[in-house]
Amino acid sequence: MSIQLSFDLPAPPATAETPLVPVRMVNEWVFCPRLAFLEWVDGEWADSGDTEEGRRAHVRVDAGGGRLPAAEAVDDKPDFTVRAVTLASETLGIIAKMDLVEGEDGVVTPIDTKKGKRPHVAEGAYAPERVQVCAQALILEDAGYRVTEGAIWYAGSRERVRIGLDAELRAETRTAISQLRLAAAAGKLPPPLLDNPKCTKCSLAGICLPDEVSFFRKGLAPRPLNPSADAALPLYVQEPGARVRKSGETLVIETDDVKTEVPIGEVSELVLHGPVSVTGPTVTALLREEIPVTWASAGGWVLGHTVSTGHRNVNIRIAQYRAAFDERRALGFARTLVAAKIRNARVFLRRNFKAGDEAARDGALEAMARLADRALHAPTEAELLGLEGEAAARYFRLFDTMLGDAAQKFPQFAFEKRTRRPPADPVNAMLSFGYALLTRTWHTVLSGVGFDPYLGFYHKPRFGRAALALDMMEPFRPILADSTVIQVINNGEVKPDGFTAAGPAVTLKPAAKRAFIAAYERRLDQEVTHPVFGYRVAMRRLLEVQARLLARHLAGEIDDYPHYLVR
């Protein structure tokens, strides 16, 4: 009988290219390897009630950076307590900010603070927490200190739990450190947990999408997404001559006769239309909070964005570049994109047809169904463009049939064909404005997820052109932009006198723009049932879900990207 020996594979030594891993991430790795990878390697983060509570629990221990006496001098020192001690171990490849270190009789004890109550488990604490304390002890030992045990202070129940540093816990901790550092070096995202109760309370569930990925890989029905804790919304400023400044934690918007104040915490993005000024301290405060500033023309077309240092997840952009430069993959994605756009436009037309030539409607619906099927097999991009153009022509030929009786009374809202440069009538002006808003929305979503919005698969790169944002908005044109146009006309929110003409171009007046933006934002806040996963989600959050699904698809976790298709 032969015995096969196995050896742990150590992680590579830490270098400038493989930085030290925070001990908190080792805790996360034991809790969920995918969570640790997303936070440490991909730089993802999302606050929740738990993280905010944990931050409050650490206010005292984080105050003031502590300094330990030298290891060789501990025996000669009286008992001491030091807070917020940061130490690292090059040997182990980890670094820790220790909440508290106590010294007594030549022995030091790391003490970690947790926000909750002591769990009633045999070991006194859960495995991730014990590993975190043990890792801190290993760092102290590597620095020459004598450590016999660790401890955890549970703020919720005000209890201190002793953590014994036995051989089993030490081995578990070293293994977790090596596994995390090896995974980081390999750059491969671990698979999600399967139907695990941890996921329902995880603040990164909407980023990780564990159930959604498992749905495609294992066929497991996804649970509803956690409701977003972020109630912030875009702030639009479009009054010519308006000025935006900062006062404390508040944005102050001033015009000649009006002053408006908005807390910075309630703003997800500052959008400036036309000649609006903003102070330097205001931009600095927004960048510090990672709130982008979008600069747009008076007509709503994006001129540029002011953002912070950008998303750290370079793996998403690497996968995006590889796919975009692969002509076969890019064409394959473009086919599904155009097919999804045609199908959504077809459903939108079928649902909203009010009056007109029913035979023409039925003929258009039948033709659009065929065009969508043909788009999936288009041999070239040129043919795909032709199919998209034919479907759009049939759709816009019947666009006026979706306008209600009230609109029919106003000749200003007559619509014959789509004209873009420039828009020749009020309906075309609103369509163009709606598409500009939708492009900006997708630009913000894609940037927030970690994509490069300027490199697409269907729309080709061009200076200043957000090609990927234009790609992703295609299936949502009828759902978000066209639906807003029809809504504001049929509901009388935008009146015929809300437009002005400058030569052949027609644009919206400020009041009409405000009404249109309000309707568009309401549409984003409406809840819909996701056609693939079956749960209810706000359209605003659904866009982020779709962007993250694209990231999972490009990374190889999902074979086919699931476009959002209305039914």
Side-chain angles (χ1 to χ4, degrees):
M1 177 179 175
S2 63
I3 299 176
Q4 183 176 354
L5 300 177
S6 63
F7 300 92
D8 288 333
L9 181 64
T15 67
E17 298 300 318
T18 56
L20 299 172
V21 177
V23 163
R24 184 175 62 84
M25 291 297 106
V26 182
N27 173 322
E28 302 283 24
W29 179 268
V30 177
F31 180 81
C32 171
R34 188 175 174 92
L35 174 64
F37 190 98
L38 286 170
E39 289 189 353
W40 168 236
V41 181
D42 287 349
E44 300 282 9
W45 180 253
D47 266 323
S48 67
D50 286 340
T51 62
E52 290 287 355
E53 188 178 344
R55 195 174 290 121
R56 289 193 294 270
H58 278 79
V59 167
R60 182 165 176 253
V61 295
D62 284 345
R67 190 165 187 175
L68 281 172
E72 59 272 14
V74 168
D75 288 336
D76 301 327
K77 291 281 184 181
D79 296 351
F80 61 85
T81 297
V82 184
R83 301 182 188 277
V85 177
T86 299
L87 283 179
S89 167
E90 296 286 346
T91 305
L92 295 167
I94 55 176
I95 186 170
K97 183 177 182 181
M98 306 176 197
D99 294 337
L100 197 70
V101 177
E102 291 182 348
E104 183 178 0
D105 298 331
V107 177
V108 299
T109 302
I111 303 169
D112 201 49
T113 298
K114 300 299 178 186
K115 67 177 179 62
K117 297 181 179 180
R118 174 181 66 86
H120 295 285
V121 293
E123 298 85 352
Y126 294 121
E129 298 169 343
R130 292 187 292 111
V131 164
Q132 183 173 356
V133 172
C134 183
Q136 294 177 3
L138 293 177
I139 292 176
L140 288 165
E141 288 179 340
D142 189 54
Y145 296 93
R146 190 151 55 95
V147 186
T148 59
E149 65 179 35
I152 298 176
W153 169 255
Y154 288 96
S157 56
R158 302 190 63 78
E159 293 180 84
R160 177 167 168 161
V161 175
R162 172 185 172 274
I163 303 298
L165 305 175
D166 55 30
E168 182 179 356
L169 178 58
R170 288 171 178 268
E172 182 182 1
T173 303
R174 289 180 180 274
T175 298
I177 294 169
S178 290
Q179 288 176 342
L180 173 53
R181 295 190 58 234
L182 283 169
K188 185 169 178 59
L189 179 66
L193 302 177
L194 290 178
D195 199 26
N196 195 298
K198 296 177 183 178
C199 300
T200 58
K201 294 184 178 181
C202 179
S203 63
L204 259 66
I207 296 172
C208 169
L209 299 182
D211 289 0
E212 289 77 2
V213 172
S214 297
F215 173 82
F216 292 106
R217 300 176 66 173
K218 304 289 185 180
L220 300 177
R223 293 162 289 191
L225 276 175
N226 295 334
S228 176
D230 188 5
L233 294 171
L235 172 62
Y236 295 82
V237 182
Q238 61 167 348
E239 187 69 25
R243 181 172 180 266
V244 183
R245 61 179 177 85
K246 169 183 170 292
S247 176
E249 296 302 312
T250 300
L251 294 182
V252 181
I253 302 95
E254 296 173 319
T255 61
D256 290 340
D257 52 1
V258 177
K259 176 180 174 182
T260 305
E261 296 185 358
V262 180
I264 293 178
E266 296 180 6
V267 178
S268 65
E269 179 183 8
L270 178 62
V271 186
L272 308 176
H273 284 206
V276 176
S277 63
V278 57
T279 65
T282 302
V283 174
T284 301
L286 294 173
L287 293 180
R288 188 175 290 116
E289 297 298 323
E290 297 189 354
I291 299 172
V293 180
T294 296
W295 309 81
S297 67
W301 293 104
V302 174
L303 302 175
H305 297 268
T306 302
V307 297
S308 61
T309 52
H311 202 285
R312 290 172 51 191
N313 190 352
V314 70
N315 290 328
I316 286 181
R317 293 188 287 280
I318 290 173
Q320 176 189 355
Y321 297 152
R322 285 175 175 164
F325 294 137
D326 183 330
E327 292 184 5
R328 182 186 60 82
R329 288 190 68 186
L331 178 59
F333 183 78
R335 287 169 179 154
T336 63
L337 192 74
V338 172
K341 174 186 178 180
I342 296 173
R343 286 171 177 161
N344 282 347
R346 178 182 180 276
V347 173
F348 187 72
L349 177 61
R350 175 174 55 81
R351 283 183 180 178
N352 293 280
F353 180 87
K354 297 186 181 305
D357 187 340
E358 294 186 0
R361 176 202 62 185
D362 294 341
L365 295 178
E366 183 178 344
M368 292 174 73
R370 290 196 306 269
L371 290 167
D373 291 338
R374 288 176 58 191
L376 292 173
H377 306 285
T380 65
E381 182 182 303
E383 184 165 337
L384 188 60
L385 284 165
L387 295 172
E388 181 193 16
E390 183 180 347
R394 290 182 177 275
Y395 171 74
F396 282 116
R397 200 173 294 149
L398 294 172
F399 192 85
D400 65 338
T401 65
M402 295 185 280
L403 301 179
D405 294 337
Q408 303 297 338
K409 299 177 182 177
F410 299 106
Q412 296 92 332
F413 288 135
F415 181 86
E416 294 182 3
K417 63 179 181 179
R418 175 76 178 115
T419 56
R420 297 187 302 153
R421 298 173 182 170
D425 55 67
V427 176
N428 271 297
M430 286 189 286
L431 286 170
S432 292
F433 190 60
Y435 297 150
L437 294 178
L438 185 54
T439 304
R440 181 200 56 76
T441 300
W442 265 112
H443 191 293
T444 303
V445 170
L446 292 167
S447 297
V449 169
F451 284 102
D452 179 350
Y454 291 93
L455 183 63
F457 304 100
Y458 182 46
H459 292 83
K460 296 306 175 187
R462 195 170 69 200
F463 180 77
R465 183 193 210 186
L468 186 60
L470 293 173
D471 280 357
M472 297 302 291
M473 70 177 275
E474 292 293 354
F476 291 89
R477 284 178 183 260
I479 301 168
L480 292 174
D482 298 357
S483 66
T484 302
V485 173
I486 291 173
Q487 177 183 329
V488 297
I489 293 176
N490 289 349
N491 293 349
E493 295 176 72
V494 173
K495 305 294 185 182
D497 60 358
F499 303 86
T500 183
V506 174
T507 60
L508 287 80
K509 293 179 180 178
K513 284 183 186 176
R514 286 194 293 271
F516 191 95
I517 290 171
Y520 173 76
E521 292 294 332
R522 287 200 308 270
R523 184 71 184 96
L524 285 173
D525 285 333
Q526 288 179 352
E527 282 198 351
V528 296
T529 299
H530 198 289
V532 178
F533 306 125
Y535 50 57
R536 300 281 292 174
V537 62
M539 183 62 75
R540 194 185 303 277
R541 186 118 192 257
L542 184 140
L543 299 185
E544 181 187 344
V545 171
Q546 292 302 121
R548 295 196 181 281
L549 287 171
L550 177 62
R552 301 289 173 250
H553 166 63
L554 296 178
E557 282 196 322
I558 298 174
D559 291 335
D560 299 310
Y561 173 72
H563 288 283
Y564 177 72
L565 300 173
V566 292
R567 295 173 179 172

